[in-house]
Amino acid sequence: MQITPAELEIMNVLWDKPGIGASEIADALKHDKSWNIRTIKTLVARLVEKGALGTEPDGRRYLYRPLVKRGDYQKKAAKQFVDRMFGGRAAPLVAHLADARGLSKDDIAELEKLLGELKK
Amino acid sequence: MQITPAELEIMNVLWDKPGIGASEIADALKHDKSWNIRTIKTLVARLVEKGALGTEPDGRRYLYRPLVKRGDYQKKAAKQFVDRMFGGRAAPLVAHLADARGLSKDDIAELEKLLGELKK
DNA sequence: CTTCATTGACTACGTGTGTAGTCGATACGT
DNA sequence: ACGTATCGACTACACACGTAGTCAATGAAG
């Protein structure tokens, strides 16, 4: 189930707020993206075709809802990315994120907690 | 500087062994990928066009060498990926990797060391 | 009821990407 | 010297992707 970057924007909206129609998706994206409603509908249609979204009739329109869980997709994508870019090693990835100031103090604290749990 | 997944395979070979020609790249990839030498040459040509690879004549052929440092590219790609998939938060990414068994004991130890340094 | 907006279905189109073929020049084996 | 393998340059082509237009039906607003 390949989801492209543009499609992912749609998925993110629907993961946050499942069961809305195309125009509501457009509203949710209006501030970050300046996508034509047509563009959004095309992306949604492709996601339905791919099986990433399910439809539910609501009058003369559809409501959409993710069929893929956000966490599942993230997990798969993360593994793929690390495999491709870092030969499967996670540590260098984290090092780079730190270096790119991608890690806040909170992140670091969270990671420490995580590692504590993993060691058990 | 956009590098596609297929192109990245080429870059990985050249980051490991800079200054080789197209046929040596083909040799290095022969076991994992079954790419026609033409395909490899096309990918290499595109990378040269993009400025990701430099050329150096060697008789009637070229030797290639990365103009982009592996670490720099990894860092940029990592940041992009985390932004897109996790809204910039690294911790959930690491959690997913752990869950996908993408983290070995060594990784965990390495990450702990890393976090120790980051806290300073 | 007429007009206008909105909807899903279908179509379009430039660029990117994976995968490779053609061609003319040249090096290499015999 | 001659055929063959190989090189770089150029070309090809299908499918993916971002971006949007057309069309016929339908619903909403006046």
mmCIF file of all heavy atoms in Angstrom, chain C residues 1-4 10 14 16 21 28-29, chain D residues 2-3 10 15 17 21 27-30:
data_model
loop_
_atom_site.group_PDB
_atom_site.id
_atom_site.type_symbol
_atom_site.label_atom_id
_atom_site.label_comp_id
_atom_site.label_asym_id
_atom_site.label_seq_id
_atom_site.Cartn_x
_atom_site.Cartn_y
_atom_site.Cartn_z
ATOM 1 P P DC C 1 -42.443 24.022 -10.398
ATOM 2 O OP1 DC C 1 -43.912 24.094 -10.584
ATOM 3 O OP2 DC C 1 -41.827 22.709 -10.054
ATOM 4 O "O5'" DC C 1 -41.639 24.503 -11.672
ATOM 5 C "C5'" DC C 1 -42.122 25.470 -12.477
ATOM 6 C "C4'" DC C 1 -41.091 26.553 -12.656
ATOM 7 O "O4'" DC C 1 -40.582 27.052 -11.388
ATOM 8 C "C3'" DC C 1 -39.870 26.127 -13.449
ATOM 9 O "O3'" DC C 1 -39.460 27.269 -14.212
ATOM 10 C "C2'" DC C 1 -38.842 25.787 -12.347
ATOM 11 C "C1'" DC C 1 -39.157 26.885 -11.336
ATOM 12 N N1 DC C 1 -38.817 26.571 -9.916
ATOM 13 C C2 DC C 1 -38.092 27.504 -9.162
ATOM 14 O O2 DC C 1 -37.746 28.568 -9.690
ATOM 15 N N3 DC C 1 -37.792 27.236 -7.867
ATOM 16 C C4 DC C 1 -38.191 26.091 -7.319
ATOM 17 N N4 DC C 1 -37.892 25.860 -6.043
ATOM 18 C C5 DC C 1 -38.931 25.114 -8.061
ATOM 19 C C6 DC C 1 -39.211 25.394 -9.338
ATOM 20 P P DT C 2 -38.788 27.122 -15.649
ATOM 21 O OP1 DT C 2 -39.545 27.891 -16.661
ATOM 22 O OP2 DT C 2 -38.489 25.697 -15.854
ATOM 23 O "O5'" DT C 2 -37.438 27.925 -15.358
ATOM 24 C "C5'" DT C 2 -37.555 29.310 -14.952
ATOM 25 C "C4'" DT C 2 -36.257 29.734 -14.291
ATOM 26 O "O4'" DT C 2 -36.142 29.175 -12.958
ATOM 27 C "C3'" DT C 2 -34.984 29.347 -15.044
ATOM 28 O "O3'" DT C 2 -34.191 30.522 -15.142
ATOM 29 C "C2'" DT C 2 -34.367 28.266 -14.159
ATOM 30 C "C1'" DT C 2 -34.815 28.731 -12.771
ATOM 31 N N1 DT C 2 -34.865 27.719 -11.683
ATOM 32 C C2 DT C 2 -34.354 28.066 -10.445
ATOM 33 O O2 DT C 2 -33.841 29.130 -10.210
ATOM 34 N N3 DT C 2 -34.481 27.081 -9.488
ATOM 35 C C4 DT C 2 -35.054 25.834 -9.633
ATOM 36 O O4 DT C 2 -35.128 25.053 -8.694
ATOM 37 C C5 DT C 2 -35.561 25.537 -10.952
ATOM 38 C C7 DT C 2 -36.178 24.206 -11.224
ATOM 39 C C6 DT C 2 -35.431 26.489 -11.916
ATOM 40 P P DT C 3 -32.857 30.524 -15.995
ATOM 41 O OP1 DT C 3 -32.830 31.788 -16.768
ATOM 42 O OP2 DT C 3 -32.739 29.219 -16.670
ATOM 43 O "O5'" DT C 3 -31.769 30.625 -14.831
ATOM 44 C "C5'" DT C 3 -31.943 31.634 -13.815
ATOM 45 C "C4'" DT C 3 -30.894 31.422 -12.734
ATOM 46 O "O4'" DT C 3 -31.266 30.314 -11.872
ATOM 47 C "C3'" DT C 3 -29.488 31.102 -13.252
ATOM 48 O "O3'" DT C 3 -28.568 31.901 -12.503
ATOM 49 C "C2'" DT C 3 -29.332 29.609 -12.970
ATOM 50 C "C1'" DT C 3 -30.143 29.468 -11.683
ATOM 51 N N1 DT C 3 -30.687 28.125 -11.376
ATOM 52 C C2 DT C 3 -30.622 27.673 -10.077
ATOM 53 O O2 DT C 3 -30.128 28.306 -9.164
ATOM 54 N N3 DT C 3 -31.177 26.425 -9.878
ATOM 55 C C4 DT C 3 -31.773 25.606 -10.828
ATOM 56 O O4 DT C 3 -32.232 24.530 -10.516
ATOM 57 C C5 DT C 3 -31.798 26.134 -12.164
ATOM 58 C C7 DT C 3 -32.410 25.336 -13.271
ATOM 59 C C6 DT C 3 -31.255 27.357 -12.380
ATOM 60 P P DC C 4 -27.068 32.052 -12.952
ATOM 61 O OP1 DC C 4 -26.800 33.500 -13.015
ATOM 62 O OP2 DC C 4 -26.850 31.172 -14.127
ATOM 63 O "O5'" DC C 4 -26.273 31.447 -11.709
ATOM 64 C "C5'" DC C 4 -26.712 31.769 -10.391
ATOM 65 C "C4'" DC C 4 -26.136 30.763 -9.419
ATOM 66 O "O4'" DC C 4 -26.917 29.541 -9.430
ATOM 67 C "C3'" DC C 4 -24.688 30.343 -9.756
ATOM 68 O "O3'" DC C 4 -23.940 30.377 -8.551
ATOM 69 C "C2'" DC C 4 -24.837 28.920 -10.298
ATOM 70 C "C1'" DC C 4 -26.045 28.430 -9.508
ATOM 71 N N1 DC C 4 -26.820 27.316 -10.145
ATOM 72 C C2 DC C 4 -27.280 26.261 -9.351
ATOM 73 O O2 DC C 4 -27.027 26.258 -8.145
ATOM 74 N N3 DC C 4 -27.998 25.260 -9.932
ATOM 75 C C4 DC C 4 -28.249 25.293 -11.243
ATOM 76 N N4 DC C 4 -28.965 24.298 -11.766
ATOM 77 C C5 DC C 4 -27.787 26.361 -12.067
ATOM 78 C C6 DC C 4 -27.075 27.340 -11.481
ATOM 79 P P DC C 10 -16.299 6.035 -13.900
ATOM 80 O OP1 DC C 10 -16.998 5.043 -14.738
ATOM 81 O OP2 DC C 10 -15.375 5.605 -12.831
ATOM 82 O "O5'" DC C 10 -15.536 7.037 -14.886
ATOM 83 C "C5'" DC C 10 -16.327 7.810 -15.802
ATOM 84 C "C4'" DC C 10 -15.459 8.851 -16.494
ATOM 85 O "O4'" DC C 10 -15.149 9.926 -15.584
ATOM 86 C "C3'" DC C 10 -14.107 8.326 -17.006
ATOM 87 O "O3'" DC C 10 -14.094 8.446 -18.426
ATOM 88 C "C2'" DC C 10 -13.067 9.224 -16.332
ATOM 89 C "C1'" DC C 10 -13.892 10.448 -15.953
ATOM 90 N N1 DC C 10 -13.348 11.202 -14.795
ATOM 91 C C2 DC C 10 -13.028 12.554 -14.951
ATOM 92 O O2 DC C 10 -13.217 13.093 -16.042
ATOM 93 N N3 DC C 10 -12.519 13.244 -13.892
ATOM 94 C C4 DC C 10 -12.339 12.630 -12.722
ATOM 95 N N4 DC C 10 -11.849 13.333 -11.709
ATOM 96 C C5 DC C 10 -12.663 11.242 -12.542
ATOM 97 C C6 DC C 10 -13.157 10.578 -13.592
ATOM 98 P P DG C 14 1.333 18.596 -21.861
ATOM 99 O OP1 DG C 14 0.847 19.663 -22.732
ATOM 100 O OP2 DG C 14 1.715 17.265 -22.416
ATOM 101 O "O5'" DG C 14 2.542 19.142 -20.980
ATOM 102 C "C5'" DG C 14 2.309 20.169 -20.019
ATOM 103 C "C4'" DG C 14 3.143 19.897 -18.771
ATOM 104 O "O4'" DG C 14 2.563 18.815 -18.012
ATOM 105 C "C3'" DG C 14 4.595 19.485 -19.060
ATOM 106 O "O3'" DG C 14 5.434 20.140 -18.110
ATOM 107 C "C2'" DG C 14 4.592 17.969 -18.861
ATOM 108 C "C1'" DG C 14 3.551 17.817 -17.767
ATOM 109 N N9 DG C 14 2.862 16.524 -17.771
ATOM 110 C C8 DG C 14 2.319 15.862 -18.841
ATOM 111 N N7 DG C 14 1.754 14.719 -18.517
ATOM 112 C C5 DG C 14 1.922 14.634 -17.146
ATOM 113 C C6 DG C 14 1.512 13.626 -16.230
ATOM 114 O O6 DG C 14 0.899 12.580 -16.456
ATOM 115 N N1 DG C 14 1.890 13.929 -14.924
ATOM 116 C C2 DG C 14 2.570 15.063 -14.544
ATOM 117 N N2 DG C 14 2.857 15.189 -13.258
ATOM 118 N N3 DG C 14 2.957 16.023 -15.388
ATOM 119 C C4 DG C 14 2.603 15.736 -16.666
ATOM 120 P P DG C 16 10.887 16.874 -13.626
ATOM 121 O OP1 DG C 16 11.598 17.629 -12.562
ATOM 122 O OP2 DG C 16 11.530 16.603 -14.936
ATOM 123 O "O5'" DG C 16 10.417 15.494 -12.996
ATOM 124 C "C5'" DG C 16 9.614 15.528 -11.824
ATOM 125 C "C4'" DG C 16 9.531 14.142 -11.225
ATOM 126 O "O4'" DG C 16 8.727 13.279 -12.040
ATOM 127 C "C3'" DG C 16 10.864 13.412 -11.061
ATOM 128 O "O3'" DG C 16 10.728 12.633 -9.882
ATOM 129 C "C2'" DG C 16 10.947 12.555 -12.330
ATOM 130 C "C1'" DG C 16 9.485 12.183 -12.531
ATOM 131 N N9 DG C 16 9.023 11.967 -13.907
ATOM 132 C C8 DG C 16 9.209 12.796 -14.985
ATOM 133 N N7 DG C 16 8.629 12.365 -16.077
ATOM 134 C C5 DG C 16 8.025 11.171 -15.689
ATOM 135 C C6 DG C 16 7.258 10.256 -16.432
ATOM 136 O O6 DG C 16 6.934 10.308 -17.625
ATOM 137 N N1 DG C 16 6.847 9.176 -15.655
ATOM 138 C C2 DG C 16 7.128 9.011 -14.339
ATOM 139 N N2 DG C 16 6.659 7.911 -13.751
ATOM 140 N N3 DG C 16 7.845 9.860 -13.624
ATOM 141 C C4 DG C 16 8.266 10.919 -14.357
ATOM 142 P P DG C 21 16.978 -3.967 -23.478
ATOM 143 O OP1 DG C 21 16.239 -5.220 -23.673
ATOM 144 O OP2 DG C 21 18.375 -3.981 -23.022
ATOM 145 O "O5'" DG C 21 16.865 -3.097 -24.826
ATOM 146 C "C5'" DG C 21 15.557 -2.754 -25.312
ATOM 147 C "C4'" DG C 21 15.701 -1.702 -26.403
ATOM 148 O "O4'" DG C 21 16.039 -0.430 -25.790
ATOM 149 C "C3'" DG C 21 16.827 -1.991 -27.402
ATOM 150 O "O3'" DG C 21 16.397 -1.711 -28.736
ATOM 151 C "C2'" DG C 21 17.935 -1.043 -27.012
ATOM 152 C "C1'" DG C 21 17.176 0.129 -26.419
ATOM 153 N N9 DG C 21 17.967 0.800 -25.403
ATOM 154 C C8 DG C 21 18.394 0.259 -24.211
ATOM 155 N N7 DG C 21 19.103 1.098 -23.504
ATOM 156 C C5 DG C 21 19.147 2.258 -24.263
ATOM 157 C C6 DG C 21 19.771 3.497 -24.005
ATOM 158 O O6 DG C 21 20.435 3.836 -23.018
ATOM 159 N N1 DG C 21 19.569 4.400 -25.045
ATOM 160 C C2 DG C 21 18.845 4.133 -26.187
ATOM 161 N N2 DG C 21 18.769 5.115 -27.078
ATOM 162 N N3 DG C 21 18.254 2.972 -26.436
ATOM 163 C C4 DG C 21 18.441 2.082 -25.446
ATOM 164 P P DC C 28 42.314 -1.861 -24.383
ATOM 165 O OP1 DC C 28 42.754 -1.316 -23.092
ATOM 166 O OP2 DC C 28 43.255 -1.958 -25.524
ATOM 167 O "O5'" DC C 28 41.671 -3.311 -24.127
ATOM 168 C "C5'" DC C 28 40.327 -3.558 -24.573
ATOM 169 C "C4'" DC C 28 40.211 -4.990 -25.057
ATOM 170 O "O4'" DC C 28 39.752 -4.985 -26.428
ATOM 171 C "C3'" DC C 28 41.518 -5.783 -25.077
ATOM 172 O "O3'" DC C 28 41.203 -7.138 -24.827
ATOM 173 C "C2'" DC C 28 42.003 -5.585 -26.511
ATOM 174 C "C1'" DC C 28 40.674 -5.665 -27.242
ATOM 175 N N1 DC C 28 40.651 -5.007 -28.573
ATOM 176 C C2 DC C 28 39.849 -5.534 -29.599
ATOM 177 O O2 DC C 28 39.191 -6.556 -29.369
ATOM 178 N N3 DC C 28 39.805 -4.921 -30.811
ATOM 179 C C4 DC C 28 40.529 -3.819 -31.013
ATOM 180 N N4 DC C 28 40.450 -3.238 -32.211
ATOM 181 C C5 DC C 28 41.359 -3.260 -29.991
ATOM 182 C C6 DC C 28 41.396 -3.877 -28.800
ATOM 183 P P DG C 29 42.445 -8.199 -24.426
ATOM 184 O OP1 DG C 29 42.440 -8.266 -22.955
ATOM 185 O OP2 DG C 29 43.681 -7.810 -25.154
ATOM 186 O "O5'" DG C 29 41.937 -9.590 -25.018
ATOM 187 C "C5'" DG C 29 40.539 -9.811 -25.227
ATOM 188 C "C4'" DG C 29 40.324 -10.683 -26.464
ATOM 189 O "O4'" DG C 29 40.371 -9.856 -27.662
ATOM 190 C "C3'" DG C 29 41.376 -11.778 -26.664
ATOM 191 O "O3'" DG C 29 40.708 -12.929 -27.180
ATOM 192 C "C2'" DG C 29 42.330 -11.165 -27.700
ATOM 193 C "C1'" DG C 29 41.355 -10.379 -28.554
ATOM 194 N N9 DG C 29 41.885 -9.212 -29.266
ATOM 195 C C8 DG C 29 42.744 -8.241 -28.785
ATOM 196 N N7 DG C 29 43.003 -7.294 -29.654
ATOM 197 C C5 DG C 29 42.269 -7.662 -30.789
ATOM 198 C C6 DG C 29 42.151 -7.013 -32.047
ATOM 199 O O6 DG C 29 42.676 -5.956 -32.428
ATOM 200 N N1 DG C 29 41.318 -7.728 -32.906
ATOM 201 C C2 DG C 29 40.670 -8.901 -32.591
ATOM 202 N N2 DG C 29 39.902 -9.446 -33.538
ATOM 203 N N3 DG C 29 40.772 -9.520 -31.405
ATOM 204 C C4 DG C 29 41.585 -8.843 -30.553
ATOM 205 P P DC D 2 40.508 -5.500 -42.548
ATOM 206 O OP1 DC D 2 40.075 -6.029 -43.859
ATOM 207 O OP2 DC D 2 40.261 -4.076 -42.186
ATOM 208 O "O5'" DC D 2 39.904 -6.424 -41.385
ATOM 209 C "C5'" DC D 2 40.151 -7.834 -41.392
ATOM 210 C "C4'" DC D 2 39.157 -8.499 -40.453
ATOM 211 O "O4'" DC D 2 39.628 -8.373 -39.092
ATOM 212 C "C3'" DC D 2 37.759 -7.871 -40.460
ATOM 213 O "O3'" DC D 2 36.799 -8.902 -40.297
ATOM 214 C "C2'" DC D 2 37.793 -6.892 -39.299
ATOM 215 C "C1'" DC D 2 38.711 -7.620 -38.308
ATOM 216 N N1 DC D 2 39.523 -6.730 -37.440
ATOM 217 C C2 DC D 2 39.877 -7.155 -36.148
ATOM 218 O O2 DC D 2 39.486 -8.247 -35.763
ATOM 219 N N3 DC D 2 40.653 -6.353 -35.384
ATOM 220 C C4 DC D 2 41.061 -5.165 -35.835
ATOM 221 N N4 DC D 2 41.843 -4.412 -35.045
ATOM 222 C C5 DC D 2 40.713 -4.709 -37.132
ATOM 223 C C6 DC D 2 39.954 -5.507 -37.891
ATOM 224 P P DG D 3 35.251 -8.620 -40.605
ATOM 225 O OP1 DG D 3 34.767 -9.606 -41.597
ATOM 226 O OP2 DG D 3 35.079 -7.176 -40.862
ATOM 227 O "O5'" DG D 3 34.581 -8.997 -39.200
ATOM 228 C "C5'" DG D 3 34.674 -10.352 -38.743
ATOM 229 C "C4'" DG D 3 34.659 -10.384 -37.233
ATOM 230 O "O4'" DG D 3 35.610 -9.441 -36.695
ATOM 231 C "C3'" DG D 3 33.306 -10.039 -36.584
ATOM 232 O "O3'" DG D 3 33.091 -11.021 -35.580
ATOM 233 C "C2'" DG D 3 33.536 -8.643 -36.015
ATOM 234 C "C1'" DG D 3 35.006 -8.718 -35.629
ATOM 235 N N9 DG D 3 35.748 -7.472 -35.491
ATOM 236 C C8 DG D 3 35.862 -6.463 -36.423
ATOM 237 N N7 DG D 3 36.653 -5.486 -36.023
ATOM 238 C C5 DG D 3 37.067 -5.890 -34.752
ATOM 239 C C6 DG D 3 37.932 -5.241 -33.822
ATOM 240 O O6 DG D 3 38.532 -4.162 -33.947
ATOM 241 N N1 DG D 3 38.087 -5.982 -32.663
ATOM 242 C C2 DG D 3 37.493 -7.193 -32.414
ATOM 243 N N2 DG D 3 37.748 -7.762 -31.237
ATOM 244 N N3 DG D 3 36.683 -7.814 -33.274
ATOM 245 C C4 DG D 3 36.513 -7.111 -34.418
ATOM 246 P P DC D 10 24.317 14.097 -25.886
ATOM 247 O OP1 DC D 10 24.522 15.227 -26.820
ATOM 248 O OP2 DC D 10 24.175 14.328 -24.438
ATOM 249 O "O5'" DC D 10 23.054 13.256 -26.416
ATOM 250 C "C5'" DC D 10 23.132 12.691 -27.739
ATOM 251 C "C4'" DC D 10 21.956 11.745 -27.966
ATOM 252 O "O4'" DC D 10 22.133 10.539 -27.201
ATOM 253 C "C3'" DC D 10 20.592 12.296 -27.564
ATOM 254 O "O3'" DC D 10 19.776 12.352 -28.730
ATOM 255 C "C2'" DC D 10 20.070 11.304 -26.524
ATOM 256 C "C1'" DC D 10 20.860 10.049 -26.865
ATOM 257 N N1 DC D 10 21.002 9.115 -25.722
ATOM 258 C C2 DC D 10 20.546 7.799 -25.857
ATOM 259 O O2 DC D 10 20.029 7.454 -26.934
ATOM 260 N N3 DC D 10 20.670 6.946 -24.814
ATOM 261 C C4 DC D 10 21.233 7.353 -23.676
ATOM 262 N N4 DC D 10 21.346 6.478 -22.677
ATOM 263 C C5 DC D 10 21.718 8.695 -23.514
ATOM 264 C C6 DC D 10 21.575 9.532 -24.555
ATOM 265 P P DC D 15 1.593 0.485 -18.391
ATOM 266 O OP1 DC D 15 1.299 -0.959 -18.359
ATOM 267 O OP2 DC D 15 0.703 1.447 -19.071
ATOM 268 O "O5'" DC D 15 1.769 0.969 -16.889
ATOM 269 C "C5'" DC D 15 2.922 0.575 -16.152
ATOM 270 C "C4'" DC D 15 3.231 1.635 -15.127
ATOM 271 O "O4'" DC D 15 3.873 2.769 -15.750
ATOM 272 C "C3'" DC D 15 1.981 2.192 -14.412
ATOM 273 O "O3'" DC D 15 2.226 2.088 -13.028
ATOM 274 C "C2'" DC D 15 1.888 3.634 -14.915
ATOM 275 C "C1'" DC D 15 3.365 3.946 -15.166
ATOM 276 N N1 DC D 15 3.683 5.080 -16.084
ATOM 277 C C2 DC D 15 4.678 5.998 -15.697
ATOM 278 O O2 DC D 15 5.241 5.845 -14.616
ATOM 279 N N3 DC D 15 4.979 7.034 -16.526
ATOM 280 C C4 DC D 15 4.342 7.171 -17.688
ATOM 281 N N4 DC D 15 4.681 8.193 -18.469
ATOM 282 C C5 DC D 15 3.335 6.240 -18.097
ATOM 283 C C6 DC D 15 3.035 5.218 -17.270
ATOM 284 P P DC D 17 3.104 6.787 -6.832
ATOM 285 O OP1 DC D 17 4.091 6.446 -5.780
ATOM 286 O OP2 DC D 17 1.715 6.332 -6.772
ATOM 287 O "O5'" DC D 17 3.065 8.364 -6.960
ATOM 288 C "C5'" DC D 17 4.091 9.024 -7.641
ATOM 289 C "C4'" DC D 17 3.754 10.475 -7.840
ATOM 290 O "O4'" DC D 17 3.331 10.660 -9.206
ATOM 291 C "C3'" DC D 17 2.634 11.074 -6.975
ATOM 292 O "O3'" DC D 17 3.203 12.184 -6.312
ATOM 293 C "C2'" DC D 17 1.544 11.461 -7.987
ATOM 294 C "C1'" DC D 17 2.347 11.641 -9.262
ATOM 295 N N1 DC D 17 1.680 11.412 -10.575
ATOM 296 C C2 DC D 17 1.917 12.320 -11.617
ATOM 297 O O2 DC D 17 2.638 13.303 -11.398
ATOM 298 N N3 DC D 17 1.353 12.096 -12.823
ATOM 299 C C4 DC D 17 0.590 11.011 -13.012
ATOM 300 N N4 DC D 17 0.072 10.829 -14.226
ATOM 301 C C5 DC D 17 0.334 10.071 -11.969
ATOM 302 C C6 DC D 17 0.896 10.308 -10.767
ATOM 303 P P DG D 21 -8.524 24.058 -13.199
ATOM 304 O OP1 DG D 21 -7.988 25.383 -13.522
ATOM 305 O OP2 DG D 21 -9.441 23.892 -12.043
ATOM 306 O "O5'" DG D 21 -9.252 23.480 -14.521
ATOM 307 C "C5'" DG D 21 -8.467 23.287 -15.711
ATOM 308 C "C4'" DG D 21 -9.219 22.366 -16.659
ATOM 309 O "O4'" DG D 21 -9.160 21.008 -16.147
ATOM 310 C "C3'" DG D 21 -10.703 22.699 -16.782
ATOM 311 O "O3'" DG D 21 -11.134 22.639 -18.147
ATOM 312 C "C2'" DG D 21 -11.403 21.625 -15.977
ATOM 313 C "C1'" DG D 21 -10.453 20.446 -16.110
ATOM 314 N N9 DG D 21 -10.543 19.584 -14.930
ATOM 315 C C8 DG D 21 -10.212 19.922 -13.646
ATOM 316 N N7 DG D 21 -10.415 18.947 -12.796
ATOM 317 C C5 DG D 21 -10.905 17.906 -13.568
ATOM 318 C C6 DG D 21 -11.300 16.605 -13.199
ATOM 319 O O6 DG D 21 -11.297 16.092 -12.082
ATOM 320 N N1 DG D 21 -11.745 15.870 -14.287
ATOM 321 C C2 DG D 21 -11.798 16.343 -15.581
ATOM 322 N N2 DG D 21 -12.256 15.494 -16.499
ATOM 323 N N3 DG D 21 -11.422 17.561 -15.938
ATOM 324 C C4 DG D 21 -10.987 18.289 -14.895
ATOM 325 P P DG D 27 -30.436 15.081 -4.645
ATOM 326 O OP1 DG D 27 -29.983 13.831 -4.028
ATOM 327 O OP2 DG D 27 -31.802 15.206 -5.192
ATOM 328 O "O5'" DG D 27 -30.164 16.251 -3.600
ATOM 329 C "C5'" DG D 27 -28.818 16.559 -3.266
ATOM 330 C "C4'" DG D 27 -28.636 18.061 -3.133
ATOM 331 O "O4'" DG D 27 -28.571 18.664 -4.442
ATOM 332 C "C3'" DG D 27 -29.788 18.770 -2.398
ATOM 333 O "O3'" DG D 27 -29.192 19.685 -1.511
ATOM 334 C "C2'" DG D 27 -30.525 19.489 -3.529
ATOM 335 C "C1'" DG D 27 -29.350 19.843 -4.421
ATOM 336 N N9 DG D 27 -29.666 20.173 -5.804
ATOM 337 C C8 DG D 27 -30.404 19.436 -6.701
ATOM 338 N N7 DG D 27 -30.484 19.991 -7.892
ATOM 339 C C5 DG D 27 -29.749 21.157 -7.770
ATOM 340 C C6 DG D 27 -29.473 22.177 -8.730
ATOM 341 O O6 DG D 27 -29.833 22.237 -9.908
ATOM 342 N N1 DG D 27 -28.691 23.186 -8.187
ATOM 343 C C2 DG D 27 -28.238 23.230 -6.897
ATOM 344 N N2 DG D 27 -27.502 24.272 -6.559
ATOM 345 N N3 DG D 27 -28.476 22.291 -5.981
ATOM 346 C C4 DG D 27 -29.239 21.291 -6.494
ATOM 347 P P DA D 28 -30.095 20.332 -0.292
ATOM 348 O OP1 DA D 28 -29.912 19.453 0.866
ATOM 349 O OP2 DA D 28 -31.461 20.638 -0.785
ATOM 350 O "O5'" DA D 28 -29.353 21.734 -0.011
ATOM 351 C "C5'" DA D 28 -28.208 22.095 -0.780
ATOM 352 C "C4'" DA D 28 -28.288 23.580 -1.152
ATOM 353 O "O4'" DA D 28 -28.707 23.721 -2.534
ATOM 354 C "C3'" DA D 28 -29.284 24.408 -0.329
ATOM 355 O "O3'" DA D 28 -28.723 25.712 -0.196
ATOM 356 C "C2'" DA D 28 -30.523 24.411 -1.217
ATOM 357 C "C1'" DA D 28 -29.857 24.541 -2.591
ATOM 358 N N9 DA D 28 -30.631 24.076 -3.722
ATOM 359 C C8 DA D 28 -31.405 22.952 -3.811
ATOM 360 N N7 DA D 28 -31.956 22.776 -4.998
ATOM 361 C C5 DA D 28 -31.512 23.861 -5.724
ATOM 362 C C6 DA D 28 -31.739 24.278 -7.067
ATOM 363 N N6 DA D 28 -32.495 23.584 -7.923
ATOM 364 N N1 DA D 28 -31.153 25.414 -7.479
ATOM 365 C C2 DA D 28 -30.397 26.097 -6.613
ATOM 366 N N3 DA D 28 -30.097 25.821 -5.342
ATOM 367 C C4 DA D 28 -30.704 24.671 -4.964
ATOM 368 P P DA D 29 -29.406 26.851 0.773
ATOM 369 O OP1 DA D 29 -28.792 26.688 2.083
ATOM 370 O OP2 DA D 29 -30.883 26.836 0.644
ATOM 371 O "O5'" DA D 29 -28.900 28.223 0.104
ATOM 372 C "C5'" DA D 29 -28.521 28.224 -1.269
ATOM 373 C "C4'" DA D 29 -29.058 29.457 -1.972
ATOM 374 O "O4'" DA D 29 -29.866 29.045 -3.114
ATOM 375 C "C3'" DA D 29 -29.988 30.335 -1.127
ATOM 376 O "O3'" DA D 29 -29.821 31.686 -1.584
ATOM 377 C "C2'" DA D 29 -31.374 29.778 -1.450
ATOM 378 C "C1'" DA D 29 -31.208 29.469 -2.938
ATOM 379 N N9 DA D 29 -32.062 28.400 -3.452
ATOM 380 C C8 DA D 29 -32.526 27.298 -2.782
ATOM 381 N N7 DA D 29 -33.262 26.492 -3.513
ATOM 382 C C5 DA D 29 -33.285 27.103 -4.752
ATOM 383 C C6 DA D 29 -33.887 26.758 -5.975
ATOM 384 N N6 DA D 29 -34.613 25.641 -6.140
ATOM 385 N N1 DA D 29 -33.717 27.586 -7.018
ATOM 386 C C2 DA D 29 -32.985 28.693 -6.853
ATOM 387 N N3 DA D 29 -32.358 29.133 -5.757
ATOM 388 C C4 DA D 29 -32.553 28.281 -4.732
ATOM 389 P P DG D 30 -30.572 32.932 -0.865
ATOM 390 O OP1 DG D 30 -29.498 33.895 -0.559
ATOM 391 O OP2 DG D 30 -31.473 32.427 0.216
ATOM 392 O "O5'" DG D 30 -31.487 33.547 -2.012
ATOM 393 C "C5'" DG D 30 -30.909 33.904 -3.270
ATOM 394 C "C4'" DG D 30 -32.015 34.055 -4.297
ATOM 395 O "O4'" DG D 30 -32.624 32.765 -4.552
ATOM 396 C "C3'" DG D 30 -33.171 34.987 -3.866
ATOM 397 O "O3'" DG D 30 -33.559 35.769 -4.980
ATOM 398 C "C2'" DG D 30 -34.297 34.014 -3.488
ATOM 399 C "C1'" DG D 30 -34.037 32.904 -4.501
ATOM 400 N N9 DG D 30 -34.622 31.606 -4.150
ATOM 401 C C8 DG D 30 -34.612 30.989 -2.928
ATOM 402 N N7 DG D 30 -35.214 29.826 -2.925
ATOM 403 C C5 DG D 30 -35.653 29.669 -4.239
ATOM 404 C C6 DG D 30 -36.376 28.608 -4.836
ATOM 405 O O6 DG D 30 -36.771 27.563 -4.327
ATOM 406 N N1 DG D 30 -36.610 28.856 -6.188
ATOM 407 C C2 DG D 30 -36.207 29.984 -6.866
ATOM 408 N N2 DG D 30 -36.526 30.029 -8.155
ATOM 409 N N3 DG D 30 -35.533 30.981 -6.309
ATOM 410 C C4 DG D 30 -35.290 30.753 -5.004
#
